[in-house]
Each structure stands twice: as C-alpha cells, then as structure tokens.
Amino acid sequence: MSLRFSPSGRKLLVAAADNVASIWNVPNETTWPSTPHVTLYGHTSEVSCGAFLGDETHVITGSYDRTIAVWRTYDREQTANFDHDERV
C-alpha cells in the first residue's frame, strides 16, 4: 500500500493490493468518510504507487501488472497507459 497527499493537502491517494487506487477527501474534522471520493479501476495487479500531477486534476499510478496509468480525477477516465518491462 502506498499513500500520497495532494499538493494542497486536501486529498489522499491510496494505492492498494486489491488492484485499485482511490482518492479520499481529507476531512477538516477527525472523522474520515467511510467511502472514497473517487475509485480508479483498471490495473490487473497490485497498485504499488501513485502521485498527484500538477493541479490535482490528474493522478498517475504504477502497478505490478507492468503498467503506468494516468487518470483524470473528476471523472475517473484513464487518459494514458504505458507498458513497462518490469513491475512498477
């Protein structure tokens, strides 16, 4: 599992072993929501890493399925997918 805060600190990207990445809104209070704001499906193996790009409208994820994906955060659309020779 990998955790990354957005540059503003208002969102948290979680890369997980269940082949899914998710984006959570960081609460102003101590209680976290029970469901993510956005869930990103598309990798076929563990999502090992991720990061927010620029203005938080996109994230990039890497997976043990040997792919790197770029996603739009507002509609979950995968905008790019790159194959890699090794697990990412």
Side-chain angles (χ1 to χ4, degrees), residues 24-81:
W24 296 76
N25 289 327
V26 175
N28 292 332
E29 304 164 4
T30 58
T31 305
W32 281 74
S34 59
T35 58
H37 174 67
V38 172
T39 304
L40 306 171
Y41 299 99
H43 287 292
T44 59
S45 191
E46 179 177 343
V47 182
S48 58
C49 57
F52 284 89
L53 301 177
D55 61 359
E56 301 175 13
T57 61
H58 289 80
V59 295
I60 188 168
T61 57
S63 172
Y64 286 175
D65 65 10
R66 299 180 179 185
T67 64
I68 299 167
V70 179
W71 314 80
R72 275 196 310 252
T73 57
Y74 65 88
D75 66 358
R76 302 178 198 100
E77 183 73 24
Q78 190 179 103
T79 60
N81 190 4

